[in-house]
Amino acid sequence: MAHAENEITIDRTAAEVYDFLADGLNNTAWRSGVKDIGLASGDAGQLGAVYSQTLTGPRGKPIQGDYRITAAEPGRLLAFDVVAGPARPHGEYILSEADGRTTVRFVLDLKLPGLMKVLDGLVTKTMQGEVAQLRMLKAVLEAR
């Protein structure tokens, strides 16, 4: 299984961080690979909401990376499954607050089927790049 995770502490409350993450329309502000995103169905940031997003793929070509929110516990947990595109990982943002600061752990997991397992290292590297973008999330939220 391909796996990546990263953790960062942000000088904002868990409620602020959660609200920003839950609204997928904010993805373009901190995730460099997101070129376009829109709410495809459901209520923004709520359980079951589906976001349609266009990502920068290999060699700069656009790919779909639509996702559905699978868990929504304000201030604590936001989880999603990618439902369109070549890779369909499960992701979680796990939040914990202390003294008005929030630690965010971003976890991505992808079970590669059959012969695709030979790509595990490459997929893991790509996912590590994605979770590393928490640095940009911190910068964006703390600048507000």
Side-chain angles (χ1 to χ4, degrees), residues 23-57:
D23 184 356
L25 300 180
N26 290 323
N27 285 351
T28 57
W30 70 279
R31 293 181 53 222
S32 63
V34 178
K35 298 306 172 197
D36 185 51
I37 189 161
L39 181 63
S41 66
D43 294 323
Q46 300 299 310
L47 185 65
V50 176
Y51 287 89
S52 175
Q53 64 180 352
T54 303
L55 307 170
T56 302

Side-chain angles (χ1 to χ4, degrees), residues 54-104:
T54 303
L55 307 170
T56 302
R59 298 187 184 115
K61 294 186 179 190
I63 59 172
Q64 285 304 114
D66 303 356
Y67 68 93
R68 174 180 292 112
I69 296 177
T70 59
E73 299 175 24
R76 290 195 46 231
L77 173 70
L78 183 69
F80 63 90
D81 286 333
V82 176
V83 296
R88 299 187 182 192
H90 172 76
E92 295 182 343
Y93 299 102
I94 302 148
L95 288 68
S96 59
E97 182 179 342
D99 301 321
R101 301 179 78 212
T102 302
T103 298
V104 180

